[in-house]
Amino acid sequence: MIESFYNLLAVFGFHHPLHPIVVHLPMGLVTGSVAFSLADMKWPDKNYATTAYHCILLSLIAVVPVYIAGLLDWQQWFAGDVNQWIIIKLILGVALTGMLFFTVQQKKKGAPQKKLFVYYLICLGICGGLGYSGGELVWGG
């Protein structure tokens, strides 16, 4: 079934993995949360903290298609082969989703902006690990 899906895409001239296309959305949003949180520290009257939170919330939503595309690509391009980089990506993916969810919950409970900034940085660090392990998976060491 997965191969049929990729064959259908090929009919339209698309012969590439899907995951790299969608992965930039949550990664960029997490980066944006850090940037807007920093901006809020400089200009607290501009409401950048709300934008930072919205970035995290949208990132949490956006991880769903990223994981679906990643699983499809893993089956199509790697034949479901499990190696250390896949395991690392799975662990970090769960960690990112958990951290994003935790951060959203903390914001709803009224966590101070400085504490949320630390959570945003943790999410960014996890994203860095995901990006690094993805690079190693595709291009090797």
Side-chain angles (χ1 to χ4, degrees):
M1 181 172 151
I2 293 171
E3 188 173 344
S4 299
F5 175 68
Y6 283 93
N7 288 338
L8 176 65
L9 293 175
V11 167
F12 296 101
F14 188 82
H15 304 280
H16 303 283
L18 296 171
H19 182 73
I21 296 169
V22 294
V23 75
H24 294 87
L25 185 58
M27 299 299 190
L29 287 165
V30 168
T31 303
S33 72
V34 172
F36 283 113
S37 191
L38 282 170
D40 183 69
M41 290 178 197
K42 176 83 170 149
W43 302 285
D45 59 321
K46 302 288 186 190
N47 214 15
Y48 290 127
T50 301
T51 305
Y53 169 68
H54 288 158
C55 286
I56 286 296
L57 188 59
L58 287 171
S59 184
L60 179 59
I61 294 166
V63 296
V64 175
V66 169
Y67 296 152
I68 292 168
L71 289 170
L72 289 172
D73 285 354
W74 175 48
Q75 291 298 313
Q76 178 67 17
W77 303 101
F78 295 97
D81 180 44
V82 178
N83 62 41
Q84 69 180 8
W85 297 112
I86 292 291
I87 293 168
I88 290 169
K89 286 186 72 64
L90 290 171
I91 292 168
L92 289 176
V94 170
L96 178 61
T97 304
M99 192 64 203
L100 290 168
F101 184 78
F102 174 78
T103 302
V104 168
Q105 293 304 312
Q106 291 302 300
K107 170 66 175 170
K108 287 182 178 182
K109 291 179 181 178
Q113 187 57 31
K114 288 185 180 184
K115 190 176 259 190
L116 291 172
F117 177 68
V118 172
Y119 300 152
Y120 299 157
L121 285 174
I122 293 169
C123 290
L124 185 61
I126 296 169
C127 286
L130 280 162
Y132 179 82
S133 59
E136 288 295 313
L137 178 65
V138 173
W139 290 292

